[in-house]
Structures are given as structure tokens and as C-alpha cells.
Amino acid sequence: MTKPTPGPWQTIDGAEIAPCAGPSAHVELCRIVGIRKGESSWYMPDEARANARLIAAAPEMAEALAAILKHAGWPEPEKVAVHGDTPLCVAIGQARSALRKAGILED
């Protein structure tokens, strides 16, 4: 799986998500689409701006999840056997699932 553009990312004008630094700094990765009002104006609802902030924070959240697993004693979190339904086991499973979805952990 191809790795994503390294973070950190930022929002620009509340709708555009772009890297903060590096060779692709300020090159748009994606854009949250607002609601069209008239021929040339757009309205960006608060929820859409919140979605843009969440997307922009994704690389740092993924890095933080991986660091938590690593520093909690699991240097290879994809190899940790998780058994049971304790809150910690559930959280480890959720973290690994999110990191796999992002392409950071392999099956």
C-alpha cells in the first residue's frame, strides 16, 4: 500500500488540506466542499470546517497512536495478540484497525 503524504497537514481557508512543510507544502491534498449559494459564492458550514480540521490532524493522530502502542511495551503493535474484551484490549484493537486503515500497519 502506498504511504500517505507525510504530516503535519494544515487547513487553508477552512476547506483546503495541505502539508505544512516539505516539497509539497501548500499543495492541496484535498478540499472539503461547501454548499453553493448563487453562481460564484459558497457557504462553508461549521461541520465542514470541523471535518477539514479532523482530516488535517490525521497524520499526527496516526503517529500518536503508533507511539502510544510502541511506548506501552508493544514495539511491533501488529504482532501483539489481543485476547478478551477488557477496555485496554478493545482500545489496542481499535488503534491497530485505524492504523491498518491508514496504511501504517500491515496485516
Side-chain angles (χ1 to χ4, degrees):
M1 181 178 284
T2 302
K3 298 291 182 191
T5 302
W9 296 351
Q10 63 185 331
T11 59
I12 301 171
D13 296 330
E16 180 181 327
I17 293 92
C20 294
S24 54
H26 305 290
V27 173
E28 184 178 304
L29 296 171
C30 68
R31 176 175 293 274
I32 302 298
V33 177
I35 300 168
R36 190 171 190 84
K37 292 183 86 177
E39 294 219 7
S40 60
S41 75
W42 290 84
Y43 167 68
M44 183 63 63
D46 291 341
E47 183 178 16
R49 290 179 191 279
N51 290 340
R53 289 191 306 272
L54 178 63
I55 293 166
E60 292 160 278
M61 289 191 296
E63 187 176 309
L65 269 180
I68 288 168
L69 292 177
K70 179 180 177 184
H71 294 295
W74 299 293
E76 297 180 74
E78 68 279 1
K79 295 182 180 176
V80 175
V82 179
H83 303 289
D85 59 358
T86 66
L88 180 59
C89 288
V90 170
I92 290 168
Q94 290 171 327
R96 290 192 320 192
S97 177
L99 292 171
R100 270 193 217 93
K101 187 176 183 178
I104 294 166
L105 283 184
E106 309 244 344
D107 289 327

